[in-house]
Amino acid sequence: MVALAVPAALAAQTTPAARTSGIDVQYIDHNVRPQDDFYRYVNGLWLNAHPIPADAVRISAASVVNDATQVQLRSIVEDVTRRGSTSSDPDERRIALLYGSFMDERTVERAGITPLKAQLTGIDSVSSLAQLAQKMGELGCIGVVVPIGDSVLNDRTHPDAYALSVYQWGLGLPGPNYYLSDAAALKEVRAAYRVHAANMLKLLGDKSASTEAQSILDLETRLARIQVTAPNGGAPRLADHIFTLARLQSFAPGMDWRHYLIGARTYGRASTLHVGEPAFFKSLGELISAVPLATWKAYLRLHLVSAYSPFLNKAFADEDFAIQEKALRGVQEMPPRWSRGLDLVNDSMGEGLGRLYVARYISADAKQRVTAMVQTFVEAFRLEIDDLAWMRPETKLKAKEKLATFRAKIGYPDHWRNYAGLRMRAGDLVGNVLRARLWEYQRNVDKLGKRVDREEWFLTPQTADAYQWLPQNEIVIGAALLQPPFFDPHADDAVNFGAIGGTIGHEMSHGFDNIGSQYDANGVLLGKPGWFTAEDQQRFDDLARALVAQYSVFEGVPGYHVNGERTLSENMADVAGAAIAYRAYHLSLGGRPAPVMDGLTGDQRFFMAWAQRRRGNYRDKELIRILESDEHSPPALRAEVPLMNLDAFVTAFGIHAGDPMYLAPGKRVHIW
């Protein structure tokens, strides 16, 4: 393997002095062989010692980090609230008013449904299909579920410009299977949803609540049947079509698109619309006129009150919790009010709070070190491309061109969002939420006609997560992720490359997975074969099919299998990410042998760190939700299956044919 000159910022941190192994050896379950169940071997005693709290769907490495971050955020917000109007910082004053309005339970309880009277009256006044379309657009602006979603993001064919996109939406449950499957757990949720809808409508005073609830369930079932599932985990070119308004009106005539766009504040703002899943909208146009107007109005009332129930009185908030958390995810108790108040501040003013969080808690050193690690990953990816046996030289050149434009944003943005114009008022919780949602919606709409701001973040620093943004060929990693067990400044490099490095490799690999490989070096969506030769695209698709088959045999909960098609992109990024992170780790050694620490080799600690960051106990209902609607595989499988495809993992732990963790060499998938 070629040795790499390690970046100075990283080399300064790789000296063995005072380094710990970074592995929580106290949680290793020595009653389990790594060859039998690697996830349980690494994490078994941690899983035994960490039952799921009554107010949570899980306890995991990420949730523990999030809980610690919540404590920090609470300290900030309560300090800000104490200062209140005396603060010289306008964001602090807005946060104080918003959080204070949520914590003022007495005022919220007295208000009841009154804060939504104007919106409810508006729905009741709908008397035509044109008015229905316009009302759907208006409600979508304030975060209410309607059949059409919209967004303003990079144009997929001209990524330096913004485009207006519309996409299928409209379900109150996580996905179509919750309406269409005969699985017992999903039928149980359906029944609970019908009862919930009736209860919500009764709280609104509807006299025919039970009948309306059944009509809404029937309507959403019809919406579920016409929703489109992209093949092979996503085919963006097939799922994205450019329409003028006139052509869209002709294509899906049952929907009054002009009035919808007027309601959505986007009429006349863009000459074309990027339409995801056109077949859905054609069928929706037929459904609009086929379903009685009274049913559509009941549907809109339900989704309006569902969108705002957490900010209404106790009866509404409890009913919302009963379906969204208890029935769907198995949570037994509502989180404390202060925690829900922090969630509201994060949702409404995430960067405003993030700026205060970074100033108080985040060291620039962690950002610098992880940024330096990324340089090693770029070199590792380049070497991986050179070594690919299935790819032709001309395609390798194109892959390297894309790698050369790759960019990483680590920790927090260089420029913070300006919340000027966002008004918060004391004692007006629902009004504050309405204004915050509409302010953010309008901020996005106002991008139309402007050049793309490539410095914008779609993740707050206090979020322990990361993403890849294909139109800009960039990855973004939140500052909250830069702490153990994801990143440990005191740990040996093996663990950091296996943990946060696994995230870096995963997100980088998304740029080259079954979806990302359809975008070129400039973020332009080409479709298939794009910058691949036709022969290389066929080889790539063969490897993708093998990965689909490999994952589809696994169950996350007895009787509920992984959907290998839907999860392909994430599975591919996990498998490739592990391989890239492993190679980057060895490059970081600069030819030096890895130290043995806690009796574990560098390779063993690398792989254990990969599994350690995925540790978690999950409620069965939450795992079923993941299996039925999420693009990711369940966490325990994400900890194990990617490693089973790596020869180095098999060697590091002496895994042999017949062991449960063994995949025969011919079954191992190596794509990137």
Side-chain angles (χ1 to χ4, degrees):
M1 186 174 290
V2 178
L4 174 72
V6 182
L10 183 60
Q13 303 295 338
T14 56
T15 55
R19 289 278 172 257
T20 66
S21 80
I23 297 298
D24 291 333
V25 292
Q26 71 272 27
Y27 293 130
I28 296 173
D29 189 344
H30 292 287
N31 292 317
V32 178
R33 295 195 321 145
Q35 299 91 339
D36 294 335
D37 186 337
F38 187 66
Y39 176 73
R40 177 65 60 171
Y41 165 74
V42 173
N43 300 310
L45 298 188
W46 188 95
L47 298 173
N48 294 343
H50 291 80
I52 304 170
D55 63 354
V57 297
R58 71 180 76 85
I59 184 166
S60 64
S63 74
V64 170
V65 167
N66 282 327
D67 287 347
T69 303
Q70 284 282 86
V71 172
Q72 295 171 328
L73 296 177
R74 184 183 186 184
S75 174
I76 292 171
V77 170
E78 290 183 348
D79 285 350
V80 164
T81 302
R82 278 191 290 271
R83 287 196 294 275
S85 60
T86 65
S87 173
S88 61
D89 185 329
D91 283 351
E92 288 193 358
R93 295 197 298 272
R94 291 184 183 101
I95 290 170
L97 288 167
L98 176 60
Y99 185 74
S101 70
F102 187 86
M103 298 304 291
D104 184 0
E105 292 184 74
R106 179 176 297 180
T107 298
V108 171
E109 197 65 29
R110 279 201 309 264
I113 196 61
T114 302
L116 288 179
K117 282 294 186 183
Q119 287 73 29
L120 290 166
T121 299
I123 293 171
D124 289 341
S125 67
V126 169
S127 59
S128 69
L129 294 184
Q131 291 177 354
L132 174 66
Q134 185 163 332
K135 187 55 62 178
M136 286 181 178
E138 291 171 0
L139 293 173
C141 295
I142 57 172
V144 177
V145 170
V146 294
I148 305 170
D150 59 55
S151 64
V152 176
L153 295 167
N154 306 62
D155 187 317
R156 293 184 179 185
T157 55
H158 301 90
D160 280 329
Y162 287 110
L164 174 61
S165 298
V166 294
Y167 51 86
Q168 63 187 17
W169 202 23
L171 302 181
L173 295 175
N177 275 2
Y178 277 83
Y179 297 87
L180 307 176
S181 172
D182 287 329
L186 303 192
K187 290 171 71 175
E188 179 183 323
V189 171
R190 272 203 300 278
Y193 184 60
R194 185 185 59 77
V195 173
H196 160 75
N199 289 343
M200 279 294 204
L201 295 173
K202 286 175 185 174
L203 288 171
L204 288 178
D206 288 15
K207 295 180 180 179
S208 302
S210 295
T211 302
E212 289 176 337
Q214 185 60 54
S215 297
I216 291 169
L217 180 59
D218 292 343
L219 169 56
E220 292 191 23
T221 301
R222 295 174 75 173
L223 287 171
R225 288 197 182 102
I226 65 174
Q227 287 206 353
V228 177
T229 302
N232 295 323
R237 170 59 73 180
L238 297 177
D240 189 292
H241 298 260
I242 300 175
F243 285 73
T244 62
L245 176 57
R247 180 178 168 231
L248 182 57
Q249 190 62 66
S250 175
F251 179 79
M255 181 73 185
D256 189 321
W257 287 97
R258 176 175 171 272
H259 278 88
Y260 168 77
L261 294 173
I262 290 172
R265 301 181 171 216
T266 51
Y267 181 68
R269 300 296 300 267
S271 59
T272 58
L273 292 89
H274 289 234
V275 180
E277 309 93 14
F280 169 82
F281 291 106
K282 189 173 185 65
S283 298
L284 175 64
E286 298 166 357
L287 196 59
I288 289 287
S289 56
V291 172
L293 197 57
T295 298
W296 281 115
K297 290 162 70 171
Y299 165 88
L300 294 179
R301 283 198 303 275
L302 172 65
H303 286 296
L304 169 67
V305 75
S306 294
Y308 286 85
S309 283
F311 318 113
L312 296 173
N313 61 22
K314 187 175 186 300
F316 283 101
D318 286 350
E319 184 55 46
D320 179 73
F321 173 81
I323 186 67
Q324 296 297 336
E325 300 299 331
K326 192 168 186 177
L328 269 172
R329 309 178 78 184
V331 181
Q332 300 304 303
E333 293 179 6
M334 194 179 291
R337 194 165 186 89
W338 67 263
S339 178
R340 290 179 281 139
L342 285 182
D343 290 342
L344 173 60
V345 175
N346 266 315
D347 291 343
S348 304
M349 292 188 61
E351 274 203 22
L353 181 57
R355 176 172 60 85
L356 305 178
Y357 168 73
V358 167
R360 184 179 295 192
Y361 291 109
I362 301 302
S363 163
D365 177 64
K367 178 174 180 172
Q368 181 185 18
R369 286 188 59 190
V370 175
T371 300
M373 285 178 68
V374 172
Q375 298 176 42
T376 313
F377 275 78
V378 172
E379 177 64 9
F381 214 119
R382 186 187 67 78
L383 294 173
E384 285 288 312
I385 292 169
D386 283 338
D387 289 348
L388 291 176
W390 61 268
M391 184 177 281
R392 297 173 64 88
E394 54 265 45
T395 305
K396 290 183 179 183
L397 286 175
K398 293 292 185 180
K400 289 180 181 179
E401 286 179 12
K402 182 164 186 177
L403 185 64
T405 67
F406 166 78
R407 180 188 183 195
K409 297 176 181 174
I410 308 296
Y412 46 88
D414 294 327
H415 306 286
W416 298 100
R417 189 162 297 170
N418 184 345
Y419 289 90
L422 175 57
R423 292 179 295 112
M424 296 293 177
R425 295 173 180 162
D428 186 17
L429 175 57
V430 170
N432 289 337
V433 177
L434 278 163
R435 286 187 291 275
R437 290 179 176 179
L438 190 57
W439 184 91
E440 176 62 18
Y441 181 87
Q442 190 66 51
R443 185 187 70 84
N444 281 289
V445 168
D446 288 344
K447 297 175 185 176
L448 290 168
K450 298 177 182 177
R451 188 174 179 85
V452 165
D453 177 8
R454 289 180 172 261
E455 300 307 311
E456 183 177 12
W457 282 49
F458 306 129
L459 179 78
T460 64
Q462 62 270 31
T463 303
D465 207 347
Y467 68 88
Q468 151 75 249
W469 186 229
L470 295 172
Q472 295 175 192
N473 193 21
E474 67 183 19
I475 67 170
V476 180
I477 297 176
L481 208 60
L482 307 183
Q483 54 188 308
F486 303 101
F487 175 76
D488 185 347
H490 306 294
D492 177 66
D493 286 342
V495 165
N496 284 327
F497 275 86
I500 193 70
T503 297
I504 296 169
H506 173 99
E507 300 302 343
M508 283 185 70
S509 298
H510 269 314
F512 299 84
D513 66 16
N514 59 308
I515 298 175
S517 62
Q518 298 183 47
Y519 289 78
D520 72 7
N522 297 313
V524 176
L525 175 60
L526 303 174
K528 291 184 177 182
W531 48 272
F532 280 28
T533 65
E535 295 84 356
D536 284 344
Q537 184 66 64
Q538 182 59 53
R539 296 186 188 101
F540 182 87
D541 288 344
D542 289 343
L543 291 167
R545 280 190 288 272
L547 201 63
V548 167
Q550 183 184 107
Y551 272 83
S552 295
V553 304
F554 291 102
E555 292 180 320
V557 174
Y560 294 85
H561 281 77
V562 172
N563 183 324
E565 294 273 355
R566 187 181 65 244
T567 58
L568 174 59
S569 173
E570 295 297 334
N571 295 337
M572 192 177 287
D574 276 345
V575 171
I580 299 298
Y582 178 75
R583 186 159 200 161
Y585 165 56
H586 276 269
L587 287 176
S588 76
L589 292 172
R592 302 183 304 275
V596 174
M597 305 178 77
D598 288 333
L600 301 166
T601 67
D603 278 13
Q604 288 174 331
R605 285 180 284 111
F606 170 88
F607 293 122
M608 292 173 77
W610 172 278
Q612 186 172 270
R613 74 190 182 108
R614 294 288 179 204
R615 64 192 180 196
N617 286 312
Y618 289 71
R619 298 188 188 279
D620 281 353
K621 286 187 176 183
E622 175 66 358
L623 288 174
I624 291 171
R625 186 196 64 79
I626 291 171
L627 290 160
E628 293 295 336
S629 63
D630 204 301
E631 295 176 351
H632 300 83
S633 295
L637 295 178
R638 296 186 70 187
E640 290 187 333
V641 181
L643 304 187
M644 294 167 68
N645 286 283
L646 297 182
D647 298 345
F649 172 70
V650 173
T651 300
F653 289 95
I655 300 170
H656 301 289
D659 291 332
M661 293 299 305
Y662 182 81
L663 271 180
K667 297 290 186 182
R668 296 172 198 164
V669 177
H670 183 84
I671 302 176
W672 293 102

